[in-house]
Amino acid sequence: MRIGIFGGSFNPIHVGHISLARQLRRIAGLDEVWLMVSPQNPLKQGSTDLLNDQLRYQMARLALHGEEGIVACNYELHLPKPSYTWNTLQHLHQDFPQHTFLLLIGGDNWALFPRWYKAQEIMDGHDIIVYPRRGCQIDRAALPPRVTIADTELLDISSTDIRQGIKQGSNISRMVPSVIIPLVSKLYSDCE
């Protein structure tokens, strides 16, 4: 199977993540997209409003229930910290040698990619599909051989906006799958 690894904190998961996963699955011809719930990103140290790993995974599972070909995945939560994509990919290849894993990342992460742990080794050994993010220009002519751009729809939804909206009492119903709205509202209103 061809599996796209779409990592993130999913703090919380939202309709933009799900729409993007659907689009990437179709555009890249993937059998599945694994939404890999990640512990603290080594490049985003200092974030204080990150919910517990298991709660974020639970929300992702609920939000993706019945979603064909898109799976909430807690695999990375069981690996040694810090959570480096290179290590995750190495473990995935050991544990699932029958699958081909592709890395799905946003243009914002592509801009930071040279700072990633073992960035060159990741590029040498894996196909990478970059999806656009507003404000991130990507020079298609300068992309390495195994890196491609997926022309997905730009969705202006962020987990940060959702968390702030909950604290301000805003309506988040268009941003979060309806099945998890009560849970998201409770967890993030309790999170101070």
Side-chain angles (χ1 to χ4, degrees):
M1 285 184 18
R2 282 169 50 86
I3 296 172
I5 300 299
F6 180 172
S9 60
F10 303 107
N11 189 38
I13 188 170
H14 56 66
V15 296
H17 294 132
I18 298 168
S19 172
L20 194 52
R22 286 179 191 140
Q23 292 176 67
L24 290 166
R25 181 173 176 242
R26 180 181 44 78
I27 290 168
L30 301 171
D31 295 296
E32 290 183 345
V33 172
W34 290 3
L35 269 61
M36 184 81 64
V37 178
S38 302
Q40 179 72 52
N41 178 332
L43 294 177
K44 290 185 180 177
Q45 296 293 342
S47 176
T48 58
D49 56 358
L50 185 66
L51 271 191
N52 167 286
D53 295 343
Q54 292 305 321
L55 289 174
R56 291 180 291 116
Y57 170 63
Q58 178 188 356
M59 282 189 292
R61 281 192 60 207
L62 285 170
L64 294 172
H65 181 74
E67 189 71 45
E68 185 181 345
I70 305 172
V71 179
C73 181
N74 66 352
Y75 183 86
E76 199 168 57
L77 301 178
H78 304 289
L79 297 178
K81 313 292 185 282
S83 175
Y84 293 114
T85 299
W86 167 254
N87 294 339
T88 301
L89 290 168
Q90 294 302 103
H91 283 277
L92 284 168
H93 286 295
Q94 286 175 342
D95 292 344
F96 304 99
Q98 72 277 23
H99 297 324
T100 300
F101 293 99
L102 297 84
L103 187 59
L104 311 175
I105 64 173
D108 52 343
N109 275 311
W110 179 246
L112 295 172
F113 201 78
R115 293 176 48 200
W116 284 32
Y117 177 69
K118 296 201 180 251
Q120 189 60 52
E121 289 88 338
I122 294 172
M123 284 191 292
D124 291 344
H126 300 86
D127 290 332
I128 301 172
I129 300 170
V130 181
Y131 55 88
R133 295 291 299 261
R134 197 165 308 285
C136 298
Q137 296 301 315
I138 302 169
D139 181 0
R140 291 174 187 255
L143 291 174
R146 297 187 74 172
V147 179
T148 57
I149 303 293
D151 290 316
T152 57
E153 180 184 353
L154 282 170
L155 298 165
D156 282 328
I157 301 172
S158 78
S159 296
T160 302
D161 291 342
I162 293 166
R163 293 191 306 271
Q164 289 173 346
I166 289 167
K167 287 185 173 115
Q168 296 164 358
S170 302
N171 183 344
I172 60 164
S173 63
R174 293 180 184 263
M175 298 187 280
V176 177
S178 59
V179 69
I180 63 167
I181 287 174
L183 183 59
V184 169
S185 297
K186 177 183 180 346
L187 289 173
Y188 289 98
S189 63
D190 292 348
C191 185
E192 292 297 330

